[in-house]
Amino acid sequence: MEYVDLRSDTVTRPTPEMRAAMANAEVGDDVYGDDPTVNRLQEMAADMLGKQAALFVPSGTMGNLAGILAHCQRGDEVILGKQNHTYLHEAGGISVLGGVHSCQLDNQPDGSLLISDIEAALRSDDPHEPVTRLVSLENTHNHCGGTVQTPETTRRIADFVHPRGLKVHLDGARIFNAAAALNVNVKELTAPVDSVMFCLSKGLCAPVGSVLCGDKEFIKRAHRLRKMLGGGMRQAGILAAAGLIALQKMTRRLGEDHTRARNLAEGLSENHAIVLDGAPQTNMVFFDLASHVKLSTAEITAKLKDYGILVSASGPRRFRLVTHYWIDDSAVERTVSAFRSVLQ
Ligand code: TLP
């Protein structure tokens, strides 16, 4: 059966053009800095995001980890949201591997952090306390609904913390989705921050890889950390070749995924068993089950699978559906009708 896979945009397979580019990629040993395709990808990424330098890493998790460790020493503190991916879903790597202490703030419903909360979290110069070194933001914000932070929101935070000696890291796994939703150049979203990680392997369809961007000194430190974390790859140009297409072509079409997410939400809104969060801002549709629904999320997931629809629960009575390149209009219709059959 041909499945409609809405579990995440991480499930995206490479496009035929990517597979051809991968087969023909010029490669070298990237640990020696010899892979021309990786070098090209890093230059293009730095240029597009308006930073001095970039580093190709195997995953978003490693990009955030290397980025945060390149800013912080052991015992330093990073301020971040309780709903941020780095806090929730990266196996605690910043503290386990980096000895970085985290100060967790409440995210606002749109995923943002309040400046007043950041101000209250700043440590004084007291030897009892860790040193506040970094604020880590997320755009789009995954757990808060695929929500978008505007350039102004990010700028206000950066303008507040920079004079206080802090740096700002951005988990921009889906930063190109944010740029598409706001109809701004991605540089506007990244200009206020010191470092940004974005993923090639989500809505941009590349099979593997993320890129960390920042100034030259920062990227030099991150390069050593990537090696330490076991992320130095050899003929990685095979992967970077897909990344180049992701950057050049796939960033331009993300609006289509957002339109389909809105259509999917609209279709599901007619189902009384479903309580939607509201209109999706990007490619994620979140909803809760209405109180009368007796089936568990596991039972619903299993029944939908029989209809060829793959979804995953994001809470005891909550689902997240993610649109991407491989979800077309008919997949949206099939999904709405399968939900109608499973949940009346
Ligand atoms: N997110 C995945 C899961 O881990 C939840 C998903 O399906 O959405 N930052 C953000 C905002 C992310 O959403 C993710 C992956 C990452 C970082 C980590 O990227 P990878 O999976 O490449 O390590």
Side-chain angles (χ1 to χ4, degrees):
M1 181 171 359
E2 180 77 10
Y3 284 104
V4 172
D5 195 344
L6 295 155
R7 290 172 300 168
S8 182
D9 46 10
T10 59
V11 303
T12 45
R13 300 177 303 279
T15 64
E17 188 184 2
M18 284 180 178
R19 287 183 190 265
M22 292 169 80
N24 295 313
E26 217 188 321
V27 295
D29 189 329
D30 183 50
V31 171
Y32 291 123
D34 277 354
D35 191 302
T37 313
V38 170
N39 292 341
R40 220 155 11 104
L41 174 69
Q42 292 176 162
E43 278 158 32
M44 186 181 292
D47 185 51
M48 282 175 79
L49 277 85
K51 300 294 175 200
Q52 286 177 359
L55 185 71
F56 185 47
V57 289
S59 67
T61 300
M62 192 186 287
N64 282 332
L65 179 57
I68 291 173
L69 300 199
H71 285 299
C72 299
Q73 299 296 311
R74 295 185 75 78
D76 285 350
E77 187 168 66
V78 54
I79 296 173
L80 80 185
K82 276 181 196 160
Q83 306 295 326
N84 283 21
H85 193 274
T86 299
Y87 181 63
L88 290 179
H89 292 306
E90 295 173 17
I94 56 169
S95 60
V96 178
L97 301 171
V100 177
H101 197 247
S102 65
C103 174
Q104 308 119 34
L105 303 184
D106 286 328
N107 292 93
Q108 297 307 296
D110 68 353
S112 63
L113 301 180
L114 290 180
I115 290 185
S116 54
D117 287 345
I118 294 175
E119 183 170 23
L122 295 175
R123 303 287 190 160
S124 63
D125 185 18
D126 175 328
H128 292 83
E129 301 187 15
V131 175
T132 316
R133 188 72 68 191
L134 182 69
V135 175
S136 186
L137 305 173
E138 187 174 315
N139 196 9
T140 63
H141 201 287
N142 182 346
H143 219 250
C144 290
T147 45
V148 164
Q149 316 292 310
T150 63
E152 294 72 36
T153 308
T154 309
R155 167 77 62 198
R156 273 198 294 273
I157 291 177
D159 285 351
F160 178 75
V161 304
H162 280 151
R164 290 164 174 80
L166 274 66
K167 301 282 187 193
V168 182
H169 173 71
L170 176 61
D171 174 348
R174 299 181 180 81
I175 195 66
F176 287 99
N177 290 85
L182 291 165
N183 198 20
V184 297
N185 187 303
V186 72
K187 282 192 183 89
E188 290 188 45
L189 296 167
T190 56
V193 304
D194 301 283
S195 59
V196 52
M197 180 286 294
F198 72 92
C199 294
L200 298 162
S201 62
K202 298 192 166 58
L204 302 183
C205 275
V208 178
S210 295
V211 185
L212 181 64
C213 304
D215 70 28
K216 282 189 183 145
E217 281 305 309
F218 167 85
I219 290 298
K220 199 173 161 199
R221 295 196 298 279
H223 195 175
R224 184 183 293 273
L225 286 158
R226 183 186 70 173
K227 187 70 190 139
M228 188 182 83
L229 297 169
M233 297 182 284
R234 301 293 178 175
Q235 285 71 35
I238 297 263
L239 303 173
L244 283 166
I245 294 169
L247 273 181
Q248 286 166 306
K249 305 226 166 132
M250 305 304 278
T251 50
R252 295 165 191 258
R253 57 153 306 284
L254 293 170
E256 290 176 32
D257 300 340
H258 301 176
T259 303
R260 291 202 176 93
R262 281 197 298 275
N263 293 345
L264 178 58
E266 216 171 282
L268 293 174
S269 70
E270 286 158 21
N271 191 323
H272 297 303
I274 286 174
V275 184
L276 284 153
D277 276 12
Q281 292 184 14
T282 56
N283 65 334
M284 294 183 182
V285 180
F286 278 86
F287 59 84
D288 291 309
L289 296 172
S291 53
H292 70 267
V293 175
K294 296 280 178 287
L295 292 173
S296 69
T297 51
E299 287 164 334
I300 294 166
T301 304
K303 282 175 188 283
L304 286 167
K305 193 171 178 188
D306 293 337
Y307 286 88
I309 310 295
L310 302 181
V311 298
S312 55
S314 66
R317 293 182 64 78
R318 192 163 171 76
F319 283 93
R320 181 192 73 164
L321 275 45
V322 187
T323 57
H324 51 75
Y325 180 77
W326 297 101
I327 301 296
D328 59 13
D329 291 336
S330 74
V332 170
E333 281 164 30
R334 263 179 77 188
T335 306
V336 172
S337 110
F339 268 98
R340 210 178 292 128
S341 307
V342 172
L343 288 173
Q344 288 102 8

